[in-house]
């Protein structure tokens, strides 16, 4: 059987103090017993399951909800919150006591139930029972408190041990981070050095490529200049050859005109000599062509050609 003990103050006499003990078997809805005492007198009574159903029907409330309201009023100790009130009335001989319990609302209250209690012949025994119940509960609470205290100490020691382990883990983590950071710095420095070397090689390759391009451009420029000079020399040689060749007919014409303008010669032998002398320039022309073919092209300057032509014309 389960029991609970509450201290109540009736509305009719708020200064008075009563002790109300409620006992039940399995559930409060199956019925319960009440024991009321002011430490001088004691009263007892029983509420059956039928009484609970009848009172729930009287106030038109669902039975389960009604049982919940009884639990809050008699067991859950919600009297101090002002939600529930108790009304106690006794007769003159204290032979009987009428107990009612009510539910407070904002502007009114309604009665949950009422019970007529009968006087106990030996109130001292009731008080003794109540004190024993209080001591038993106190012992249970003390044992529970000691158990909770031991559990708290165990948890506290576990907490301190976990804190120590956590500190060690933090230290190990910091050491590992420092080690990894130092290794990372080394690897990073190596990578930076490799990157700098690659950049240096790349810049050198670019410079060599630029130098090679400049060299190729200079060589191409020099070749173009040489080709232009060769082309200019060739054109100059052709122009110098053309005036020399053009001067030959003019010299022949002047010689012929001088011969035509001279007085007639009667002697035939001298005429033959003149014919022979005038016929020789044809052979001298062939000699001039062969001589020019044997000489290099770069030595055919205009002055040398004029001198060679005059020398050939002076030959007998």
């Amino acid at each position: 059987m389960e029991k609970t003990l509450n201290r109540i103050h009736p509305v009719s006499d708020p200064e008075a103090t009563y002790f109300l003990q409620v006992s039940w078997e399995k559930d409060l809805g199956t019925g319960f017993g009440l024991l009321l005492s002011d430490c001088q007198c004691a009263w007892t009574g029983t509420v059956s399951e039928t009484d609970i159903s009848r009172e729930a029907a009287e106030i038109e409330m669902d039975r389960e909800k009604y049982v919940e309201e009884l639990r809050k009023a008699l067991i859950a100790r919600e009297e101090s919150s002002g939600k529930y009130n108790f009304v106690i009335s006794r007769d003159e001989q204290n032979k009987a006591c009428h107990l009612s319990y009510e539910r407070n609302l904002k502007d009114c209250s309604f009665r949950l139930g009422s019970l007529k209690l009968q006087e106990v012949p030996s109130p001292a025994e009731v008080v003794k029972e109540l004190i024993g119940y209080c001591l038993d509960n106190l012992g249970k609470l003390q044992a529970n408190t000691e158990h909770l205290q031991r559990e708290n100490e165990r948890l506290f020691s576990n907490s301190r041990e976990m804190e120590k382990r956590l500190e060690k883990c933090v230290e190990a983590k910091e050491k590992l981070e420092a080690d990894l950071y130092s290794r990372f710095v080394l690897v990073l420095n190596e990578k930076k050095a490799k990157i700098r070397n690659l950049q240096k090689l790349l810049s050198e390759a670019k410079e060599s490529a630029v130098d090679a391009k400049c060299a190729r451009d200079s060589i191409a420029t020099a070749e173009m200049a040489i080709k232009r000079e060769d082309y200019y020399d060739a054109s100059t040689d052709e122009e110098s050859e053309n005036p020399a060749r053009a001067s030959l007919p003019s010299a022949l014409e002047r010689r012929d005109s001088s011969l035509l303008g001279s007085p007639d010669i009667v002697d035939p032998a001298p005429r033959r000599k003149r014919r022979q002398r005038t016929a020789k320039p044809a052979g001298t022309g062939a000699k001039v062509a062969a001589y020019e073919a044997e000489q290099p092209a770069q030595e055919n300057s205009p002055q040398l050609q004029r001198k060679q032509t005059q020398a050939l014309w002076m030959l007998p």
Side-chain angles (χ1 to χ4, degrees), residues 59-76:
I59 62 175
E60 297 180 355
M61 183 182 292
D62 185 66
R63 189 176 187 280
E64 293 181 357
K65 188 175 180 180
Y66 178 74
V67 172
E68 182 65 21
E69 290 291 335
L70 289 178
R71 188 189 67 80
K72 290 179 181 180
L74 301 175
I75 299 173

Side-chain angles (χ1 to χ4, degrees), residues 256-273:
D256 293 337
S257 62
S258 62
L259 291 174
L260 291 173
S262 64
D264 296 333
I265 298 172
V266 182
D267 191 2
R271 189 178 294 117
R272 286 194 299 271
K273 291 180 180 180

Side-chain angles (χ1 to χ4, degrees), residues 8-13 18 36 84-90 97-102 109 111 113-115:
I8 62 175
H9 301 278
V11 178
S12 57
D13 189 6
Y18 289 84
L36 182 65
Y84 300 94
N85 295 330
F86 293 92
V87 179
I88 299 174
S89 60
R90 302 188 303 184
C97 177
H98 189 270
L99 173 67
S100 63
Y101 30 91
E102 300 176 349
S109 62
R111 190 183 66 179
S114 63
L115 178 63

Side-chain angles (χ1 to χ4, degrees), residues 34-250:
L34 295 177
L35 180 60
L36 182 65
S37 176
D38 60 353
C39 296
Q40 294 178 359
C41 299
W43 300 269
T44 184
T46 304
V47 178
S48 64
E49 184 176 0
T50 305
D51 295 334
I52 293 173
S53 300
R54 178 176 52 80
E55 291 177 351
E58 287 179 359
I59 62 175
E60 297 180 355
M61 183 182 292
D62 185 66
R63 189 176 187 280
E64 293 181 357
K65 188 175 180 180
Y66 178 74
V67 172
E68 182 65 21
E69 290 291 335
L70 289 178
R71 188 189 67 80
K72 290 179 181 180
L74 301 175
I75 299 173
R77 301 178 183 179
E78 296 190 7
E79 179 196 359
S80 59
S81 62
K83 292 182 179 180
Y84 300 94
N85 295 330
F86 293 92
V87 179
I88 299 174
S89 60
R90 302 188 303 184
D91 57 4
E92 296 179 358
Q93 292 81 16
N94 293 328
K95 296 296 183 180
C97 177
H98 189 270
L99 173 67
S100 63
Y101 30 91
E102 300 176 349
R103 173 73 164 86
N104 288 332
L105 298 177
K106 290 183 179 180
D107 299 330
C108 62
S109 62
F110 65 93
R111 190 183 66 179
L112 289 174
S114 63
L115 178 63
K116 185 177 182 180
L117 303 176
Q118 299 296 326
E119 182 183 12
V120 177
S122 56
E125 293 294 331
V126 174
V127 173
K128 183 179 178 180
E129 182 182 355
L130 294 177
I131 293 173
Y133 173 79
C134 291
L135 292 175
D136 292 340
N137 283 341
L138 181 62
K140 291 179 181 178
L141 293 175
Q142 188 174 1
N144 192 16
T145 302
E146 291 177 356
H147 173 71
L148 292 176
Q149 188 174 1
R150 288 193 300 268
E151 187 70 17
N152 190 18
E153 290 176 356
R154 185 183 65 81
L155 294 175
F156 185 70
S157 62
N158 291 338
S159 177
R160 285 184 296 181
E161 185 178 357
M162 293 302 294
E163 286 179 358
K164 292 180 180 179
R165 290 183 180 179
L166 184 60
E167 289 177 358
K168 291 181 180 180
C169 292
V170 170
E171 292 177 358
K173 173 180 169 292
E174 291 177 354
K175 290 181 181 179
L176 182 60
E177 286 181 352
D179 187 17
L180 292 176
Y181 182 74
S182 61
R183 293 182 182 181
F184 174 73
V185 169
L186 293 176
V187 174
L188 183 62
N189 292 332
E190 291 178 358
K191 295 296 182 181
K192 287 182 178 180
K194 289 182 180 179
I195 291 171
R196 285 195 293 269
N197 292 330
L198 292 175
Q199 289 178 350
K200 184 178 179 181
L201 293 175
L202 182 60
S203 62
E204 290 178 356
K206 288 182 179 180
E207 291 177 358
S208 61
V210 172
D211 295 338
K213 185 178 180 181
C214 293
R216 288 196 300 270
D217 293 341
S218 61
I219 291 170
T221 305
E223 290 178 355
M224 290 295 294
I226 292 171
K227 289 181 180 179
R228 288 178 181 176
E229 290 179 358
D230 294 341
Y231 178 75
Y232 180 74
D233 292 339
S235 62
T236 306
D237 293 341
E238 290 179 358
E239 290 178 357
S240 61
E241 288 177 0
N242 291 329
R245 291 177 182 176
S247 62
L248 291 175
S250 63

Side-chain angles (χ1 to χ4, degrees), residues 237 240 296-308:
D237 293 341
S240 61
Q298 61 268 18
E299 294 181 356
N300 292 329
S301 62
Q303 295 179 357
L304 183 59
Q305 289 178 0
R306 286 196 297 271
K307 289 179 180 181
Q308 290 175 357

